[in-house]
Amino acid sequence: MIGAGRTVAAAPPDPARAAAFLAELRHRLPELPVLTDPAELEAHRRDETANIDPPLPLAVASPATTAEVADIVGLAAAYRVPIVPRGEGTGLSGGAIAVAGGLTVLFKRMARILEIDRENLVAVTQPGIINASFKAVVAEQGLFYPPDPASYETCSIGGNLGTNAGGLCCVKYGVTREAVLSLEVVLADGSVVRTGGRNVKDVAGYDLARLIVGSQGTLGIVTEATLKLRPAPPPKLTLLAFFATLEDSGRAVARMTAAGLQPCTLEMMDGFTIRATEEYGHFGFDTTAAAMLMVESDAPGSAAAADIAAADAACLASGATFTLAASDPAEADLLRQGRRAAWWGIERLGLARMEDVVVPRSRMPELVAAVERILAEQGMPGGTFGHVGDGNLHPSFIVPRDDPEGPARIDRARTAVYAAALALGGSVTGEHGIGVAKRDWLVRTRGEGAVRAMRAVKAALDPLGILNPGKVLPDGA
Ligand SMILES: Cc1cc2nc3c(=O)[nH]c(=O)nc-3n(C[C@H](O)[C@H](O)[C@H](O)COP(=O)(O)OP(=O)(O)OC[C@H]3O[C@@H](n4cnc5c(N)ncnc54)[C@H](O)[C@@H]3O)c2cc1C
């Protein structure tokens, strides 16, 4: 049996130790910006996860080089000060929220693309760059970096690596992990390792990059990433289909899957989400519909038009009331922005919590039905949208901001949704991560043995428990 491998989570440093740590940090790295003003700390306390109330961090530091990150971590290990790596704080599981007495480390000054290697279709980048900026720079060279979370204009590559982010085109190109060749990582003792190079094939030893990606800053801090690029695909063709029932949209997805269609986007919004989004931004969606699918193809030549025609036929055969193909790239962009705005439409309506569950694609209609039942049982409004082509949905729950029972009601609803996803053979998170929000569900999702193995990995790589303590792994043995 694998040993429990318990990590001793660093207790928050007492004020004297914390002050000594900060004094030595400033002495050793006099150029390092270190924020301690409470107003500035407040801006780095939370991420986008509703219903979580973390403490203020001890301080916030912005290193400019890998060597500075290594020095910070080495010193933090000596003083037993927790470290929280933080990208842009758009996370939806509490991965980047502050921990008591901890130093939050930002990567805004480490946001350069270091190299674009056209011959090998590879880019080497620092973690702080915004996903959309990275995509835009490689696109100028006729290249394509697929991972595209709906938040791509506001989230960082480092955060995407931290969460193994998904997005709209994962259905064809896979999640962030699929785009990673190797990483430079600062380990918990301040040492710096590289997990590999730029070889397309390389099976030397354990695959540390795959372990680090998605570990939410609990196993190491990414300071550089070597990412796979592709030749830019042709412009996408875009189809919207509206349905009178959610079940009809589910049938359309099943028909497309059975027909072997390989869209690069297959997204769903339910009627509530359509109306909330349309009130937010006027994208031209049919607000009378119960469901909308967005299907896109970037296949070469005439194949894209054939894909869209086949998707159109599948939707109409499944009862679509109305379909619309974007007439040009500008219209397609607008429709895509509409899908990306779904959350902003919903979160204005009260205290809103976006959830993230995934099921085998064939069980998607059952998940949708379970979410509807749970909303009715809890008597609360909410919308469901997401990456239906991946079986990954974001049921969202809304309560009035002034409802004292609101947070508890949201907790009841999300608990019921996790249970439903697990009962359908799914998981409590498809792309947002366990963070702090779902730690209590990790054992139920993965099993005791797997979580014991995770603890052993954590204990081996971070024996002092200073890297993002309290995230991912549940408390206890
Ligand atoms: C409107 C909206 C839409 C979204 N859509 C999607 C979507 O389609 N798909 C999706 O997957 N997510 C989505 N998200 C969630 C979020 O944007 C992603 O999780 C994103 O990857 C977080 O990036 P960030 O830069 O904000 O990271 P943060 O939230 O700051 O951090 C995320 C995690 O990464 C860790 N981390 C950050 N930098 C590093 C580093 N250098 N080394 C190691 N660990 C690090 C942090 O500790 C934390 O655990 C959405 C969020 C919003 C608000």
Side-chain angles (χ1 to χ4, degrees):
M1 192 178 93
I2 294 173
R6 289 190 66 174
T7 299
V8 183
D14 60 47
R17 185 151 50 98
F21 165 72
L22 287 180
E24 188 163 351
L25 188 64
R26 288 187 164 117
H27 174 70
R28 278 210 208 170
L29 299 171
E31 306 293 319
L32 177 72
V34 180
L35 308 175
T36 49
D37 180 83
E40 290 168 325
L41 299 184
E42 176 62 35
H44 300 93
R45 189 156 74 94
R46 303 167 182 277
D47 63 4
E48 286 287 337
T49 319
N51 239 5
I52 295 182
D53 192 22
L56 285 180
L58 168 69
V60 175
S62 295
T65 63
T66 299
E68 285 186 356
V69 177
D71 279 350
I72 292 169
V73 176
L75 201 60
Y79 281 85
R80 307 288 196 269
V81 169
I83 297 279
V84 177
R86 181 179 173 100
E88 291 295 319
T90 68
L92 288 164
S93 63
I97 64 172
V99 304
L103 180 73
T104 291
V105 176
L106 308 182
F107 298 92
K108 289 180 188 297
R109 298 173 69 225
M110 295 179 69
R112 277 183 309 126
I113 298 177
L114 302 174
E115 186 187 348
I116 296 179
D117 172 356
R118 292 189 60 90
E119 281 189 342
N120 287 303
L121 290 177
V122 157
V124 182
T125 185
Q126 294 184 312
I129 191 165
I130 299 293
N131 176 301
S133 310
F134 181 72
K135 287 168 90 74
V137 172
V138 303
E140 280 167 16
Q141 308 227 4
L143 298 169
F144 175 50
Y145 174 70
D148 64 340
S151 53
Y152 82 133
E153 286 161 322
T154 51
C155 64
S156 69
I157 292 289
N160 297 166
L161 294 163
T163 56
N164 189 18
L168 274 62
C169 72
C170 299
V171 64
K172 179 167 179 181
Y173 294 106
V175 295
T176 299
R177 185 175 279 139
E178 263 50 80
V180 175
L181 279 176
S182 66
L183 301 173
E184 178 188 79
V185 183
V186 174
L187 297 177
D189 61 356
S191 60
V192 182
V193 297
R194 281 187 179 273
T195 66
R198 59 189 66 182
N199 305 310
V200 174
K201 297 174 77 177
D202 186 343
V203 292
Y206 300 138
D207 192 341
L208 294 179
R210 285 183 85 83
L211 184 61
I212 298 289
V213 175
S215 65
Q216 297 196 274
T218 61
L219 298 180
I221 299 181
V222 177
T223 46
E224 194 182 294
T226 302
L227 302 173
K228 286 185 217 170
L229 304 175
R230 294 167 178 264
K236 295 173 194 163
L237 297 187
T238 305
L239 177 82
L240 292 191
F242 295 91
F243 298 85
T245 69
L246 269 170
E247 292 69 27
D248 288 348
S249 71
R251 269 200 297 278
V253 171
R255 266 205 169 87
M256 285 185 250
T257 309
L261 275 181
Q262 245 217 327
C264 64
T265 311
L266 182 42
E267 295 285 310
M268 187 274 270
M269 285 162 64
D270 72 355
F272 185 94
T273 308
I274 294 170
R275 286 183 285 284
T277 308
E278 196 55 31
E279 276 162 29
Y280 171 76
H282 303 303
F283 300 98
F285 297 157
D286 175 4
T287 52
T288 65
M292 179 189 95
L293 292 180
M294 170 177 282
V295 190
E296 296 189 294
S297 174
D298 62 2
S302 58
D307 279 354
I308 291 300
D312 192 38
C315 290
L316 290 170
S318 308
T321 50
F322 172 54
T323 62
L324 160 81
S327 49
D328 55 43
E331 190 183 5
D333 275 349
L334 177 73
L335 299 177
R336 214 171 296 124
Q337 283 307 330
R339 160 59 190 91
R340 290 184 191 281
W343 175 239
W344 304 124
I346 288 178
E347 66 103 41
R348 299 179 315 139
L349 303 176
L351 174 64
R353 169 92 171 213
M354 189 203 302
E355 272 312 325
D356 169 44
V357 286
V358 62
V359 293
R361 287 175 288 184
S362 61
R363 312 296 300 267
M364 182 60 85
E366 292 164 87
L367 177 65
V368 168
V371 173
E372 288 205 304
R373 176 180 47 76
I374 291 162
L375 283 169
E377 280 168 7
Q378 298 296 330
M380 64 171 67
T384 301
F385 59 96
H387 317 297
V388 72
D390 297 321
N392 181 197
L393 280 191
H394 298 312
S396 299
F397 306 111
I398 307 166
V399 291
R401 289 188 204 281
D402 59 359
D403 177 359
E405 288 296 307
R409 292 174 61 211
I410 285 184
D411 281 345
R412 280 199 292 277
R414 68 188 182 95
T415 298
V417 165
Y418 303 158
L422 292 184
L424 293 169
S427 168
V428 298
T429 176
E431 57 181 20
H432 295 165
I434 290 285
V436 293
K438 301 181 182 179
R439 290 192 312 151
D440 295 344
W441 285 80
L442 189 61
V443 171
R444 264 174 280 188
T445 305
R446 287 282 179 260
E448 296 275 359
V451 173
R452 218 170 18 248
M454 291 182 205
R455 285 191 198 286
V457 171
K458 171 74 174 169
L461 290 182
D462 182 18
L464 300 174
I466 61 161
L467 290 184
N468 218 358
K471 314 288 173 68
V472 182
L473 292 174
D475 291 333

